[in-house]
Structures are given as structure tokens and as C-alpha cells.
Amino acid sequence: MKFISWNVNGFRAVLKKGFEDIFYELNADFFCLQETKMQEGQADFHPEGYHEYYSYAEKKGYSGTAIFAKKEPFSVAYGIEGKHNDEGRVITLEYEDFYLICAYVPNAQNELKRIDYRMEYEDDLRAYMSKLDKFKPVVYCGDLNVAHQEIDLKNPKSNRGSAGFSDEERGKMTELLAAGFTDTFRYLQPETTGVYSWWSYRFNARANNAGWRIDYFLVSNRLEPKIKEAAILADVYGSDHCPVSLVLE
């Protein structure tokens, strides 16, 4: 099974930048999007052979997630057990052998103005994933808005304490992994450096590869033997993020 996750930073915008060609070329069984920035009916994209699931933020032009899946799920859930649904941040699909969660994790914002909400979200999400994991394995993907280790961003010293690289956010990622989940990219490439999934639009960051790895696929630990590939597709353009991929046996 092939999974793709991509923060498109505006689905309507990326549709004008060759998204359809990229979508079909990657030919994933599951294609997850974050930061769609749209309301229902605002994007005309209905790929043949896929089921479509969208979660929209109440605030127009903000947040939002989507999943395109070749196989119809048993069930679909939005938000985290009734919480965190007003910003369209979480979609869960249930299948016979696993759960798939697509998430756009809240940004802590400048000066960590939203860190308290971020911590609440992280705790609720971890509890939710742990609950699902008792029934069947979990595949969790999305823009998780955190560079976990110093090797996950170009300039760790100057960014220490900033949103996405605060001790609080990094600590919550550590807690999540300790709860029984695996960072698939680091599982296969524990020491690889210089590989990022997001670059600022400022300072020519992408051309200089001054980026951050903040887009992930995490899986339940018992899926580790099934991890065949976990890649970051930095040669795919259209957003300030690039897609990340996972192949499970």
C-alpha cells in the first residue's frame, strides 16, 4: 500500500500548479492533504477510482484536510472524538486492518501564543491514537508542525524555542512516539541529514535547502516490519511543503 501526505497550502492554488498530474503520477492508494483552505464545493477535483473525504474549517480560507482513498473505508470520523473539529484538522478512516489518520496539527504561532491549545491538542490526539491502537494498528500522517530532533531542521540553534522547535512541542512528539508509535522516515534513515519537507517562502530558503522536516508518517510499532519505504519528495513543487510518502507491505 502506498500513502502520500502533502500540505498543499491552498488546494485551489495547487490545482493550478499541476496537482492533477502529480496526483496521478504518484498513484497512491491513499492521498492525504492538509491546509486545503477551502469550503465545500470550492475545488473541482474528483479523481476517478477514488473516494473523497474533506474536513473544512468554520473559518473560510483556513486550515482543512482531505483524503482521497482507492478503497472505501468501513467508517469515517472527523475531529478527535468530538473535539478539535471546528478547524477541520483531523480525518480518520477505518479499514479492516488499520486506521488512517490525516492531521494538520495547530501551529503554536509567533511567541508561542497558541502553545496551550497546541498542548491540549497533542494530549487529546495521543490519547485518541492510543485508544485506536488497542483495536488495530494506526497510520498517522500530516503536517505535524514540529521538527523533532536537531537533524530535522537546517538551523537548530537559531530556531530553538521557536514555534515548531520549542521544547514543549518536541516533548509532545517524544511522548507520542513513546506511546507506541514509530517515525517511519527515521526508522529507515536514523541519521540522515539535510532532508526537509518545508521551506519558508522567504530568504530563498528552498533553493538553499534551509528547511524543516515537519511532515511525517507515524505508524504503530507493530507495523515496523511492514515499512518498505518512507520518502520525502523534495523534487515535487507547488507548495512551501513537499509531499512525503510511505509504502507498507
PDB file of all heavy atoms in Angstrom, residues 92-104:
ATOM      1  N   THR A  92     -10.254  10.561  10.155  1.00  0.00           N
ATOM      2  CA  THR A  92      -9.858   9.176  10.412  1.00  0.00           C
ATOM      3  C   THR A  92     -10.686   8.241   9.541  1.00  0.00           C
ATOM      4  O   THR A  92     -11.921   8.301   9.560  1.00  0.00           O
ATOM      5  CB  THR A  92     -10.076   8.795  11.882  1.00  0.00           C
ATOM      6  OG1 THR A  92      -9.361   9.696  12.732  1.00  0.00           O
ATOM      7  CG2 THR A  92      -9.602   7.370  12.149  1.00  0.00           C
ATOM      8  N   LEU A  93     -10.010   7.392   8.787  1.00  0.00           N
ATOM      9  CA  LEU A  93     -10.670   6.334   8.026  1.00  0.00           C
ATOM     10  C   LEU A  93     -10.360   4.994   8.678  1.00  0.00           C
ATOM     11  O   LEU A  93      -9.200   4.717   9.022  1.00  0.00           O
ATOM     12  CB  LEU A  93     -10.175   6.303   6.579  1.00  0.00           C
ATOM     13  CG  LEU A  93     -10.295   7.590   5.759  1.00  0.00           C
ATOM     14  CD1 LEU A  93      -9.901   7.310   4.299  1.00  0.00           C
ATOM     15  CD2 LEU A  93     -11.677   8.195   5.833  1.00  0.00           C
ATOM     16  N   GLU A  94     -11.363   4.162   8.831  1.00  0.00           N
ATOM     17  CA  GLU A  94     -11.184   2.841   9.414  1.00  0.00           C
ATOM     18  C   GLU A  94     -11.252   1.770   8.337  1.00  0.00           C
ATOM     19  O   GLU A  94     -12.199   1.742   7.534  1.00  0.00           O
ATOM     20  CB  GLU A  94     -12.252   2.559  10.472  1.00  0.00           C
ATOM     21  CG  GLU A  94     -12.116   1.173  11.101  1.00  0.00           C
ATOM     22  CD  GLU A  94     -13.258   0.812  12.031  1.00  0.00           C
ATOM     23  OE1 GLU A  94     -14.197   1.626  12.168  1.00  0.00           O
ATOM     24  OE2 GLU A  94     -13.211  -0.294  12.610  1.00  0.00           O
ATOM     25  N   TYR A  95     -10.258   0.896   8.340  1.00  0.00           N
ATOM     26  CA  TYR A  95     -10.228  -0.236   7.423  1.00  0.00           C
ATOM     27  C   TYR A  95     -10.125  -1.536   8.224  1.00  0.00           C
ATOM     28  O   TYR A  95     -10.005  -1.514   9.449  1.00  0.00           O
ATOM     29  CB  TYR A  95      -9.049  -0.103   6.449  1.00  0.00           C
ATOM     30  CG  TYR A  95      -9.262   1.001   5.451  1.00  0.00           C
ATOM     31  CD1 TYR A  95      -8.788   2.291   5.708  1.00  0.00           C
ATOM     32  CD2 TYR A  95      -9.974   0.783   4.274  1.00  0.00           C
ATOM     33  CE1 TYR A  95      -9.011   3.320   4.811  1.00  0.00           C
ATOM     34  CE2 TYR A  95     -10.206   1.808   3.371  1.00  0.00           C
ATOM     35  CZ  TYR A  95      -9.722   3.070   3.641  1.00  0.00           C
ATOM     36  OH  TYR A  95      -9.961   4.082   2.755  1.00  0.00           O
ATOM     37  N   GLU A  96     -10.180  -2.643   7.511  1.00  0.00           N
ATOM     38  CA  GLU A  96     -10.180  -3.946   8.181  1.00  0.00           C
ATOM     39  C   GLU A  96      -8.952  -4.133   9.061  1.00  0.00           C
ATOM     40  O   GLU A  96      -9.049  -4.646  10.182  1.00  0.00           O
ATOM     41  CB  GLU A  96     -10.238  -5.063   7.144  1.00  0.00           C
ATOM     42  CG  GLU A  96     -10.259  -6.462   7.737  1.00  0.00           C
ATOM     43  CD  GLU A  96     -10.357  -7.547   6.678  1.00  0.00           C
ATOM     44  OE1 GLU A  96     -10.393  -7.208   5.473  1.00  0.00           O
ATOM     45  OE2 GLU A  96     -10.384  -8.730   7.060  1.00  0.00           O
ATOM     46  N   ASP A  97      -7.792  -3.686   8.569  1.00  0.00           N
ATOM     47  CA  ASP A  97      -6.543  -3.994   9.255  1.00  0.00           C
ATOM     48  C   ASP A  97      -5.859  -2.792   9.897  1.00  0.00           C
ATOM     49  O   ASP A  97      -4.821  -2.949  10.545  1.00  0.00           O
ATOM     50  CB  ASP A  97      -5.553  -4.643   8.281  1.00  0.00           C
ATOM     51  CG  ASP A  97      -6.067  -5.959   7.727  1.00  0.00           C
ATOM     52  OD1 ASP A  97      -6.700  -6.709   8.496  1.00  0.00           O
ATOM     53  OD2 ASP A  97      -5.856  -6.228   6.530  1.00  0.00           O
ATOM     54  N   PHE A  98      -6.401  -1.584   9.723  1.00  0.00           N
ATOM     55  CA  PHE A  98      -5.731  -0.404  10.276  1.00  0.00           C
ATOM     56  C   PHE A  98      -6.662   0.796  10.268  1.00  0.00           C
ATOM     57  O   PHE A  98      -7.698   0.808   9.607  1.00  0.00           O
ATOM     58  CB  PHE A  98      -4.457  -0.076   9.480  1.00  0.00           C
ATOM     59  CG  PHE A  98      -4.702   0.370   8.058  1.00  0.00           C
ATOM     60  CD1 PHE A  98      -4.723   1.728   7.731  1.00  0.00           C
ATOM     61  CD2 PHE A  98      -4.917  -0.560   7.045  1.00  0.00           C
ATOM     62  CE1 PHE A  98      -4.955   2.139   6.431  1.00  0.00           C
ATOM     63  CE2 PHE A  98      -5.153  -0.154   5.740  1.00  0.00           C
ATOM     64  CZ  PHE A  98      -5.163   1.199   5.442  1.00  0.00           C
ATOM     65  N   TYR A  99      -6.246   1.822  11.009  1.00  0.00           N
ATOM     66  CA  TYR A  99      -6.857   3.146  10.939  1.00  0.00           C
ATOM     67  C   TYR A  99      -5.883   4.082  10.225  1.00  0.00           C
ATOM     68  O   TYR A  99      -4.674   4.017  10.455  1.00  0.00           O
ATOM     69  CB  TYR A  99      -7.119   3.713  12.336  1.00  0.00           C
ATOM     70  CG  TYR A  99      -8.159   3.000  13.143  1.00  0.00           C
ATOM     71  CD1 TYR A  99      -7.792   2.033  14.084  1.00  0.00           C
ATOM     72  CD2 TYR A  99      -9.514   3.310  13.012  1.00  0.00           C
ATOM     73  CE1 TYR A  99      -8.748   1.387  14.855  1.00  0.00           C
ATOM     74  CE2 TYR A  99     -10.477   2.667  13.775  1.00  0.00           C
ATOM     75  CZ  TYR A  99     -10.085   1.707  14.697  1.00  0.00           C
ATOM     76  OH  TYR A  99     -11.030   1.070  15.457  1.00  0.00           O
ATOM     77  N   LEU A 100      -6.409   4.973   9.399  1.00  0.00           N
ATOM     78  CA  LEU A 100      -5.609   6.022   8.774  1.00  0.00           C
ATOM     79  C   LEU A 100      -6.081   7.368   9.311  1.00  0.00           C
ATOM     80  O   LEU A 100      -7.262   7.710   9.189  1.00  0.00           O
ATOM     81  CB  LEU A 100      -5.756   5.984   7.249  1.00  0.00           C
ATOM     82  CG  LEU A 100      -5.130   7.153   6.483  1.00  0.00           C
ATOM     83  CD1 LEU A 100      -3.617   7.214   6.696  1.00  0.00           C
ATOM     84  CD2 LEU A 100      -5.461   7.061   4.996  1.00  0.00           C
ATOM     85  N   ILE A 101      -5.146   8.125   9.888  1.00  0.00           N
ATOM     86  CA  ILE A 101      -5.460   9.462  10.404  1.00  0.00           C
ATOM     87  C   ILE A 101      -4.659  10.487   9.615  1.00  0.00           C
ATOM     88  O   ILE A 101      -3.432  10.407   9.530  1.00  0.00           O
ATOM     89  CB  ILE A 101      -5.101   9.589  11.897  1.00  0.00           C
ATOM     90  CG1 ILE A 101      -5.833   8.531  12.734  1.00  0.00           C
ATOM     91  CG2 ILE A 101      -5.441  10.996  12.407  1.00  0.00           C
ATOM     92  CD1 ILE A 101      -5.416   8.525  14.203  1.00  0.00           C
ATOM     93  N   CYS A 102      -5.352  11.453   9.036  1.00  0.00           N
ATOM     94  CA  CYS A 102      -4.730  12.593   8.359  1.00  0.00           C
ATOM     95  C   CYS A 102      -4.944  13.810   9.242  1.00  0.00           C
ATOM     96  O   CYS A 102      -6.083  14.113   9.619  1.00  0.00           O
ATOM     97  CB  CYS A 102      -5.371  12.808   6.984  1.00  0.00           C
ATOM     98  SG  CYS A 102      -4.921  14.357   6.161  1.00  0.00           S
ATOM     99  N   ALA A 103      -3.854  14.516   9.572  1.00  0.00           N
ATOM    100  CA  ALA A 103      -3.969  15.625  10.519  1.00  0.00           C
ATOM    101  C   ALA A 103      -3.154  16.834  10.089  1.00  0.00           C
ATOM    102  O   ALA A 103      -2.080  16.706   9.495  1.00  0.00           O
ATOM    103  CB  ALA A 103      -3.525  15.176  11.904  1.00  0.00           C
ATOM    104  N   TYR A 104      -3.683  17.989  10.415  1.00  0.00           N
ATOM    105  CA  TYR A 104      -2.959  19.255  10.275  1.00  0.00           C
ATOM    106  C   TYR A 104      -2.863  19.834  11.680  1.00  0.00           C
ATOM    107  O   TYR A 104      -3.805  20.434  12.194  1.00  0.00           O
ATOM    108  CB  TYR A 104      -3.691  20.189   9.311  1.00  0.00           C
ATOM    109  CG  TYR A 104      -3.063  21.554   9.161  1.00  0.00           C
ATOM    110  CD1 TYR A 104      -1.689  21.710   9.122  1.00  0.00           C
ATOM    111  CD2 TYR A 104      -3.857  22.697   9.060  1.00  0.00           C
ATOM    112  CE1 TYR A 104      -1.111  22.961   8.985  1.00  0.00           C
ATOM    113  CE2 TYR A 104      -3.293  23.949   8.911  1.00  0.00           C
ATOM    114  CZ  TYR A 104      -1.922  24.077   8.881  1.00  0.00           C
ATOM    115  OH  TYR A 104      -1.341  25.323   8.748  1.00  0.00           O
TER     116      TYR A 104
END
